Amino acid sequence: MADVIFFDLDGTLVDHRSAVLETIGQIVQAAPNATAPPEELVTLWWTLEARHMREYLAGQCSFTEHHRRRLRSFLPMLGEPVPESPGLLDAWIAERYLTVFEESWRCYPDVQPCLETLKRLPRGPRLAVLTNGDPEQQRAKLARFGLLEYFEAVLTPTELGVAKPVAYTTACRQMRTDPAQAVNVGDMLESDVTAAALAGLTGIWLDRGIDFVTGGPSPTADETVLRIERLTDLPDHLTGFHGRRK
């Protein structure tokens, strides 16, 4: 049995993509002066999120500033003026985006059954969340759905000082485990599975049938990738776990 299982959060435990698209969809539908069709504006927001999240993860700006940068690029396309005051940008995000976004969070139905099964395993693994998101927001998601109690730790770039895909060694050190005795489960083939394997962990790809970034079909993995379609399939993949060979 593995010593530690790390779970990605967005796209693995909580449907982040659908929440973002639902929130921005509502905003653009209610924008009378938008300069582009709603579907283009939704795509633009998703693109801006990815761009400025990378800047946050690279240490180029704070989490709050990454929201501001998104908004400065987005508001002109929405047909709205861009406030000069950071406080007004923060208020827009809080009142018009985050309020709806947080109400749009949905936990995947296979999450709690999986965690309950793992909890009941004799000499079962310790569980942790390993996410690139903001610690306060990510813990709020887990608390919303009663999931915090299952996890020994919630690890983010704030705690670790580094983000995925380079955070795996640091996360194992934080959990006092050998990478060879750790499993990482996530929906992103490259950053959750391939990168974890390169760090010495066992990566398991949760293929939910959609590419998290593009919204298109899942990428194609080679036959060596450990793949599951539902988290409830995970416990069966652990029964024969003997760790990675060094």
Side-chain angles (χ1 to χ4, degrees):
M1 184 62 65
D3 178 34
V4 173
I5 301 176
F6 295 104
F7 287 86
D8 174 54
L9 201 162
D10 294 320
T12 298
L13 305 179
V14 174
D15 189 352
H16 173 83
R17 181 182 174 87
S18 293
V20 169
L21 300 185
E22 180 179 333
T23 302
I24 293 301
Q26 291 186 34
I27 290 171
V28 302
Q29 290 288 349
N33 300 316
T35 63
E39 60 271 17
E40 289 185 21
L41 292 173
V42 170
T43 299
L44 172 63
W45 180 268
W46 187 252
T47 301
L48 292 170
E49 174 176 312
R51 177 188 305 164
H52 296 303
M53 189 69 176
R54 285 193 297 269
E55 294 170 352
Y56 160 67
L57 295 175
Q60 298 171 8
C61 66
S62 67
F63 190 76
T64 299
E65 177 60 24
H66 112 281
H67 271 145
R68 295 171 185 159
R69 292 182 179 186
R70 259 195 260 180
L71 200 53
R72 291 186 186 107
S73 297
F74 188 71
L75 283 178
M77 300 298 293
L78 203 62
E80 297 186 19
V82 180
E84 292 186 11
S85 164
L88 291 177
L89 292 170
D90 296 344
W92 194 103
I93 287 289
E95 295 165 12
R96 295 181 58 186
Y97 179 72
L98 290 178
T99 299
V100 181
F101 175 58
E102 292 172 5
E103 288 302 316
S104 301
W105 291 342
R106 300 290 182 270
C107 181
Y108 293 106
D110 54 0
V111 173
Q112 195 152 14
C114 168
L115 297 177
E116 277 293 324
T117 299
L118 293 174
K119 182 180 177 181
R120 292 194 297 267
L121 289 175
R123 301 184 303 280
R126 295 178 292 140
L127 308 181
V129 171
L130 180 56
T131 169
N132 281 347
D134 172 70
E136 183 178 351
Q137 187 177 82
Q138 300 300 65
R139 288 186 172 88
K141 291 175 186 176
L142 296 168
R144 168 80 62 83
F145 302 110
L147 302 180
L148 271 174
E149 65 182 78
Y150 294 100
F151 297 105
E152 184 174 313
V154 179
L155 303 177
T156 74
T158 299
E159 288 83 14
L160 300 177
V162 290
K164 294 187 290 185
V166 298
Y168 294 106
T169 301
T170 306
C172 287
R173 191 180 306 121
Q174 185 86 359
M175 293 296 292
R176 306 172 308 283
T177 193
D178 189 314
Q181 298 301 318
V183 171
N184 190 71
V185 181
D187 64 297
M188 300 284 280
L189 183 57
E190 290 299 321
S191 60
D192 289 326
V193 181
T194 303
L198 289 172
L201 294 77
T202 296
I204 297 181
W205 181 31
L206 175 60
D207 179 8
R208 291 201 178 276
I210 185 173
D211 185 293
F212 180 84
V213 175
T214 68
S218 297
T220 301
D222 68 51
E223 59 186 16
T224 64
V225 170
L226 295 175
R227 173 183 169 276
I228 57 176
E229 294 183 353
R230 295 167 297 276
L231 276 178
T232 44
D233 295 334
L234 177 63
D236 288 341
H237 280 68
L238 301 175
T239 55
F241 179 86
H242 298 293
R244 292 178 60 86
R245 295 180 182 177
K246 294 186 178 180

